[in-house]
Amino acid sequence: MKIKMHSIDGKWKRYTLLNDNNMSIRFLDFGGCITEINVPDRNQHIQNVVLGYKNYQDYENNTNFLGTIIGRVAGRIKDASFTLNNQTYMIEANNNSHHLHGGSKGFHQIIWKTKPFQTENTVGVTLTHRSHEGEGGYPGTMDVSVTYTLNNKNELIIDYLAKSNKTTAFTLTNHSYFNLTGNLASPIHNHVVTIDSDTFVELNAELIPTGKKLHVENTPFDFRSGRKIADGINSTYSQNLIANHGYDHYFILNHIKQDDICIIDETSGRKLTIKTSQPGVVLYTANSSIENLELEKGRSKQHLGICLETQASPASLHHEGFPTIILEAHETYEKQTVYTFGIEE
């Protein structure tokens, strides 16, 4: 197990975590951006399986949120406003008239304080930040920590911990775009995805939840037994068309199966399983605004990566019956998502 730190232009730190299987993870203290996850295929060829910019400077204008920590609230908040304890809070409208991923100066745009650690079987870094009252328009001063841990089981463990001195809206996620073909060999059409979920949330034309939960049965959103992403990309189903030929939807997890989510790329043999304590996940298939970016292995294009944003639902601010994002004053926010990389047998 090894951990390395490298200075980027004297202003950022880049950490590399390496386990005994030659799996490695690279990330920045800026935004907590995961820039590389290097894992073997069935022939033991080690390649990067996440989208990352060729030039680190591009993370400063990272409107696609590649690899970042998202906060204070992951997802879209309708009309950039919400009401808590009979007080209405107006926050930044950075996605048409709505609020997206914490706003333009959210957690993806800060330099986190870092503290590396190493044990016999793990290496990692804890990133911390104090978010002050009114930051982004949100109530409460918050102490937030996100810990990245790599072990010899080829697991990346992300632990989220936070506390606020006032009741506030809060849900964190990581926004890495996965492409298991390795080094962006091809788009994600043939990735086979399994999600332990019976229900997804309907969106309107502005990608805002309508408040209606739909059953996955007999739709391209039924991932319970596994299906290719191409099914949704090529579908004429209204919810796929609304998402610009793909997925940008919240699934409520059953938490019944051993793994909540699984992705397999049959060509390379790579397999990613995800287990989370979060109540749901947004499946996003890079349907728009990601074209022609200069990435490490070439220019980006539509459907080049798949995000699995484990989180609670911002729809809970405006609709009943959704996993809440309300964090009560002095209550501890504690969530974990585990990404396990392996080979499909």
Side-chain angles (χ1 to χ4, degrees), residues 78-92:
K78 179 184 177 182
D79 297 329
S81 68
F82 59 91
T83 300
L84 289 178
N85 299 327
N86 297 317
Q87 182 173 347
T88 298
Y89 295 90
M90 303 302 299
I91 52 180
E92 180 189 4

Side-chain angles (χ1 to χ4, degrees), residues 129-199:
H129 173 63
R130 172 163 284 184
S131 179
H132 292 280
E133 168 84 25
E135 212 172 87
Y138 290 94
T141 293
M142 304 195 69
D143 288 310
V144 183
S145 75
V146 179
T147 300
Y148 294 153
T149 304
L150 174 65
N151 62 28
N152 281 326
K153 297 178 183 178
N154 284 6
E155 292 176 339
L156 166 61
I157 303 168
I158 304 183
D159 288 295
Y160 303 94
L161 191 66
K163 189 173 286 189
S164 173
N165 67 349
K166 291 184 180 179
T167 298
T168 191
F170 191 75
T171 184
L172 298 183
T173 197
N174 177 270
H175 207 273
S176 290
Y177 291 76
F178 294 97
N179 184 319
L180 300 186
T181 63
N183 292 348
L184 309 182
S186 62
I188 57 169
H189 294 66
N190 292 322
H191 280 44
V192 177
V193 175
T194 305
I195 303 176
D196 182 19
S197 173
D198 301 321
T199 309

Side-chain angles (χ1 to χ4, degrees), residues 52 82 118 230-231 326 341:
F82 59 91
Q118 183 167 356
D231 291 354
I326 301 304
F341 296 87

Side-chain angles (χ1 to χ4, degrees), residues 56-240:
Y56 281 121
Q57 293 79 5
D58 289 338
Y59 284 102
E60 290 186 303
N61 187 33
N62 189 7
T63 56
N64 292 285
F65 306 95
L66 265 64
T68 63
I69 297 168
I70 300 294
R72 287 188 186 191
V73 170
R76 292 178 176 85
I77 297 179
K78 179 184 177 182
D79 297 329
S81 68
F82 59 91
T83 300
L84 289 178
N85 299 327
N86 297 317
Q87 182 173 347
T88 298
Y89 295 90
M90 303 302 299
I91 52 180
E92 180 189 4
N94 65 320
N95 186 245
N96 298 317
S97 62
H98 311 294
H99 179 83
L100 176 65
H101 288 338
S104 60
K105 296 182 180 179
F107 289 175
H108 65 293
Q109 285 289 296
I110 64 171
I111 297 177
W112 293 71
K113 294 180 180 178
T114 54
K115 185 177 181 180
F117 61 87
Q118 183 167 356
T119 70
E120 183 179 352
N121 296 308
T122 67
V123 286
V125 175
T126 297
L127 303 96
T128 58
H129 173 63
R130 172 163 284 184
S131 179
H132 292 280
E133 168 84 25
E135 212 172 87
Y138 290 94
T141 293
M142 304 195 69
D143 288 310
V144 183
S145 75
V146 179
T147 300
Y148 294 153
T149 304
L150 174 65
N151 62 28
N152 281 326
K153 297 178 183 178
N154 284 6
E155 292 176 339
L156 166 61
I157 303 168
I158 304 183
D159 288 295
Y160 303 94
L161 191 66
K163 189 173 286 189
S164 173
N165 67 349
K166 291 184 180 179
T167 298
T168 191
F170 191 75
T171 184
L172 298 183
T173 197
N174 177 270
H175 207 273
S176 290
Y177 291 76
F178 294 97
N179 184 319
L180 300 186
T181 63
N183 292 348
L184 309 182
S186 62
I188 57 169
H189 294 66
N190 292 322
H191 280 44
V192 177
V193 175
T194 305
I195 303 176
D196 182 19
S197 173
D198 301 321
T199 309
F200 72 101
V201 178
E202 182 183 62
L203 300 178
N204 67 19
E206 293 185 297
L207 302 177
I208 299 296
T210 64
K212 188 175 182 181
K213 290 178 281 189
L214 303 178
H215 201 282
V216 299
E217 189 87 28
N218 297 320
T219 76
F221 288 73
D222 190 350
F223 288 94
R224 293 174 296 182
S225 298
R227 74 183 316 137
K228 291 185 177 181
I229 290 296
D231 291 354
I233 291 173
N234 298 325
S235 171
T236 58
Y237 184 61
S238 61
Q239 285 294 298
N240 293 118

Side-chain angles (χ1 to χ4, degrees), residues 181-338:
T181 63
N183 292 348
L184 309 182
S186 62
I188 57 169
H189 294 66
N190 292 322
H191 280 44
V192 177
V193 175
T194 305
I195 303 176
D196 182 19
S197 173
D198 301 321
T199 309
F200 72 101
V201 178
E202 182 183 62
L203 300 178
N204 67 19
E206 293 185 297
L207 302 177
I208 299 296
T210 64
K212 188 175 182 181
K213 290 178 281 189
L214 303 178
H215 201 282
V216 299
E217 189 87 28
N218 297 320
T219 76
F221 288 73
D222 190 350
F223 288 94
R224 293 174 296 182
S225 298
R227 74 183 316 137
K228 291 185 177 181
I229 290 296
D231 291 354
I233 291 173
N234 298 325
S235 171
T236 58
Y237 184 61
S238 61
Q239 285 294 298
N240 293 118
L241 297 180
I242 279 175
N244 195 24
H245 302 282
Y247 301 91
D248 196 357
H249 293 74
Y250 188 77
F251 291 76
I252 297 172
L253 295 169
N254 295 328
H255 290 306
I256 295 174
K257 296 182 179 179
Q258 180 177 349
D259 300 308
D260 296 309
I261 306 157
C262 176
I263 315 174
I264 296 171
D265 172 51
E266 295 173 344
T267 302
S268 68
R270 290 187 179 94
K271 178 181 181 179
L272 168 61
T273 58
I274 300 174
K275 189 71 176 176
T276 185
S277 61
Q278 294 278 17
V281 61
V282 174
L283 171 65
Y284 176 56
T285 49
N287 312 311
S288 58
S289 74
I290 198 171
E291 295 186 1
N292 209 31
L293 304 176
E294 190 174 6
L295 303 180
E296 182 192 9
K297 295 297 179 180
R299 291 282 175 178
S300 67
K301 52 189 172 182
Q302 189 181 32
H303 304 136
L304 194 59
I306 177 172
C307 284
L308 294 150
E309 305 161 52
T310 55
Q311 60 178 91
S313 175
S316 63
L317 293 173
H318 299 99
H319 304 283
E320 294 184 356
F322 290 87
T324 184
I325 66 167
I326 301 304
L327 180 66
E328 298 291 340
H330 308 295
E331 181 180 283
T332 299
Y333 176 94
E334 189 170 7
K335 301 293 182 182
Q336 182 183 79
T337 299
V338 180

